[in-house]
């Protein structure tokens, strides 16, 4: 694949990732609203707790839904700010095993590749294959644990 095709694929994946999480959060919000209106015990929740809950929900919405959509848009339009924002999102996405982890690794790999450097600037990774294998060796216990817990 060419760098432009990887860029388009990465943008599409970020749109899907953001949409998937955004719809999930909106579904959760709808569920909470229905439960709040249907339950008589909802009146016993104090206003500060509701305000904190709304703030936490908005932070989650921004971090896991709107940020990927913004990165996808920046990648589609080839904006220079796509790289730093994409790398920040890749770090956040690594927590979401397995989809976010795969997307984060693919994002890192693209931005450090020659095609990513050509489109967005920066330096090519200087890591050799043996250094990458050494890094992978440290992750093998975690991968083996994941296989055992299936």
């Amino acid at each position: 694949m060419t760098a432009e095709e990887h860029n388009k694929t990465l943008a599409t994946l970020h749109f899907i990732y953001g949409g998937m999480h955004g719809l999930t959060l909106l579904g959760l919000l709808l569920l909470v609203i229905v439960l709040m209106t249907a339950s008589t015990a909802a009146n016993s929740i104090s206003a500060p707790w509701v305000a904190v809950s709304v703030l936490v929900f908005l932070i989650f919405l921004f971090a896991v839904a709107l940020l990927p959509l913004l990165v996808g848009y920046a990648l589609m339009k080839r904006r220079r700010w796509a790289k730093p924002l994409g790398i920040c999102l890749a770090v956040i996405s690594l927590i979401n095993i397995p989809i976010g982890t795969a997307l984060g690794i693919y994002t890192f790999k693209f931005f450090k590749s020659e095609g990513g450097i050509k489109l967005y600037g920066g330096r090519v990774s200087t890591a050799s294959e043996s250094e990458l294998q050494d890094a992978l060796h440290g992750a093998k216990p975690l991968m083996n644990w994941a296989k055992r817990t299936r």
Side-chain angles (χ1 to χ4, degrees), residues 2-75:
T2 65
E4 289 80 16
E5 290 171 336
H6 279 292
N7 188 57
K8 187 175 180 181
T9 301
L10 190 59
T12 303
L13 289 173
H14 278 286
F15 279 131
I16 292 169
Y17 185 72
M20 179 179 66
H21 284 87
L23 291 175
T24 302
L25 282 172
L26 289 177
L28 178 64
L29 180 64
L30 180 64
L31 177 68
V32 168
I33 289 171
V34 166
L35 289 176
M36 292 287 283
T37 57
S39 174
T40 57
N43 294 335
S44 65
I45 299 175
S46 66
W49 281 109
V50 172
V52 168
S53 300
V54 167
L55 182 65
V56 168
F57 176 79
L58 290 175
I59 290 170
F60 280 149
L61 182 66
F62 178 74
V64 300
L66 297 180
L67 198 56
L69 295 176
L70 191 60
V71 170
Y73 172 78
L75 288 168

Side-chain angles (χ1 to χ4, degrees), residues 128-140:
S128 67
E129 184 63 31
S130 63
E131 290 173 334
L132 291 174
Q133 288 302 322
D134 287 342
L136 182 62
H137 177 70
K140 286 191 186 219

